[in-house]
Amino acid sequence: MKPDWDKLMEKFADSPTQLVADVDCTADGKPLCDANGVRGYPTIKWGDPAALEDYQGGRDYDALEKFAEENLKPVCSPANIDLCDDEKKAEIEKFQAMSDADLDAAIKEKEEESEKAEEEFKEFVQGLQKQYQDAMAKKDEAQAAVKASGLGLMKAVKATKAAAAKEEL
């Protein structure tokens, strides 16, 4: 992927509105990566620098270029309010009218909602994992019981009978 990414960075190097860059999250870029939720490498983020989103598309040059051409452009934001529809403008204006303390509280509330959703998802996955492990243990016990009940001897007797029948012919 690195050669394709380097090629994409080169293509957009002179763009006044589109930035394609890379950050070394293991060195000087670690604080930036931590602040943006980068947990694995390579991770591709895109969008408003104040609210980056995870890229979910293909990792080859053609897919990356197509996505960049279609999506990396100025978007509705407080810095580009002229690009917003009336609903988004009203939402931005509502947030701008809030005091810093109220805005901080609202941000904290939404972040807590997001964290709660993540925690509930993790608990759900842990429950599924436990169900899987329990079912696997039950299956293993049942198969061991079947084998202990004489399955192997039955198969050996059948094979011996079949071999004896062939010898009689």
Side-chain angles (χ1 to χ4, degrees), residues 63-114:
L64 292 166
E65 180 187 34
K66 182 176 189 287
F67 181 85
E69 293 287 356
E70 293 173 359
N71 295 282
L72 298 185
K73 55 190 170 199
V75 294
C76 168
S77 70
N80 293 310
I81 202 158
D82 57 311
L83 299 176
C84 301
D85 61 26
D86 290 341
E87 185 179 332
K88 282 294 181 189
K89 282 181 185 176
E91 191 173 21
I92 290 170
E93 289 167 1
K94 178 182 98 174
F95 295 146
Q96 287 173 331
M98 295 171 76
S99 70
D100 287 348
D102 288 345
L103 193 54
D104 287 341
I107 290 169
K108 183 178 179 187
E109 179 184 339
K110 293 300 179 185
E111 287 175 340
E112 287 172 354
E113 285 179 27
S114 179

Side-chain angles (χ1 to χ4, degrees), residues 37-50:
V38 175
R39 293 186 186 101
Y41 313 111
T43 296
I44 300 175
K45 298 277 190 171
W46 72 280
D48 186 329

Side-chain angles (χ1 to χ4, degrees), residues 19-162:
L19 173 65
V20 176
D22 57 14
V23 176
D24 184 350
C25 293
T26 63
D28 293 337
K30 186 167 179 9
L32 179 63
C33 295
D34 291 344
N36 286 287
V38 175
R39 293 186 186 101
Y41 313 111
T43 296
I44 300 175
K45 298 277 190 171
W46 72 280
D48 186 329
L52 293 174
E53 299 178 42
D54 291 327
Y55 170 74
Q56 302 294 337
R59 300 287 176 121
D60 61 85
Y61 180 78
D62 291 338
L64 292 166
E65 180 187 34
K66 182 176 189 287
F67 181 85
E69 293 287 356
E70 293 173 359
N71 295 282
L72 298 185
K73 55 190 170 199
V75 294
C76 168
S77 70
N80 293 310
I81 202 158
D82 57 311
L83 299 176
C84 301
D85 61 26
D86 290 341
E87 185 179 332
K88 282 294 181 189
K89 282 181 185 176
E91 191 173 21
I92 290 170
E93 289 167 1
K94 178 182 98 174
F95 295 146
Q96 287 173 331
M98 295 171 76
S99 70
D100 287 348
D102 288 345
L103 193 54
D104 287 341
I107 290 169
K108 183 178 179 187
E109 179 184 339
K110 293 300 179 185
E111 287 175 340
E112 287 172 354
E113 285 179 27
S114 179
E115 289 169 10
K116 182 181 178 197
E118 180 70 25
E119 189 57 39
E120 289 173 353
F121 174 75
K122 286 179 181 178
E123 287 176 19
F124 174 76
V125 170
Q126 286 174 346
L128 287 178
Q129 183 65 30
K130 182 171 179 356
Q131 287 179 2
Y132 171 79
Q133 289 170 336
D134 291 349
M136 184 68 94
K138 185 177 177 181
K139 175 198 68 119
D140 291 346
E141 288 172 15
Q143 287 179 333
V146 167
K147 288 177 184 176
S149 71
L151 176 63
L153 287 175
M154 287 181 217
K155 288 181 176 181
V157 167
K158 180 165 172 87
T160 303
K161 281 184 169 184

